[in-house]
Amino acid sequence: MKAVIRWQGAACFEGESGTGHRVLMDGPEDHGGENRGPRPMETLLLGLGGCSSFDVVHILRKARQDVTDCRCEMEAERAEDEVPAVFTRIHLHFVVSGNNLKENQVRRAVELSAEKYCSASIMLARGGVDISHSYEIDMQV
């Protein structure tokens, strides 16, 4: 896996993934940022949510669950008054929508992502971040 980060001036950077996708990241105003993109740590949090959400949907689809939507709401805390201001706690809450979803399948998908498949979540947990998960089901039929 490769990536390139290019400075865009002030506190703004453009990241380009090895697959050619780009994301703009910007620092806070008190560090010269102009709010042109998410902060780098926000991007890290988004990556975690994307990784885990991908797993949950993929596992449910393999289990032949009729998933119509999946939203991952995250809350994170960082070390206060410390440098580096690492994440200390992250909670991921999944809201899974679909037709005739089986709760045990949704619970299992979230557990498998957390314990076995989500590289981002497992890496952060091994680094000392307290990561927790919850879910709810929005049954459509």
Side-chain angles (χ1 to χ4, degrees), residues 48-64:
L48 165 62
C51 183
S52 194
S53 295
F54 175 91
D55 291 339
V56 168
V57 170
H58 183 74
I59 293 165
L60 288 171
R61 292 178 79 192
K62 281 185 76 173
R64 297 190 179 355

Side-chain angles (χ1 to χ4, degrees), residues 5 11 22 30 32 36 49 53 68-69 72 78 80 82 115:
I5 304 296
R22 295 180 180 181
D30 63 346
R36 294 173 43 196
S53 295
T68 58
D69 190 36
C72 180
R78 294 174 69 182
E80 292 184 28
E82 291 182 32
E115 298 168 5

Side-chain angles (χ1 to χ4, degrees), residues 91-130:
H91 181 73
L92 295 86
H93 179 73
F94 294 91
V95 181
V96 182
S97 303
N99 299 301
N100 300 311
L101 295 174
K102 295 179 182 171
E103 182 174 1
N104 64 325
Q105 295 284 350
V106 174
R107 180 185 325 99
R108 187 73 178 133
V110 171
E111 289 172 353
L112 282 171
S113 175
E115 298 168 5
K116 184 174 182 179
Y117 293 113
C118 181
S119 302
S121 179
I122 293 166
M123 178 179 63
L124 289 168
R126 287 182 183 171
V129 181
D130 176 21

Side-chain angles (χ1 to χ4, degrees), residues 25 27 29 43 49 59 83 90 93-94 97 105 112 133 140:
M25 298 171 280
E29 290 180 6
T43 305
I59 293 165
V83 175
I90 301 173
H93 179 73
F94 294 91
S97 303
Q105 295 284 350
L112 282 171
H133 300 76
Q140 296 179 339

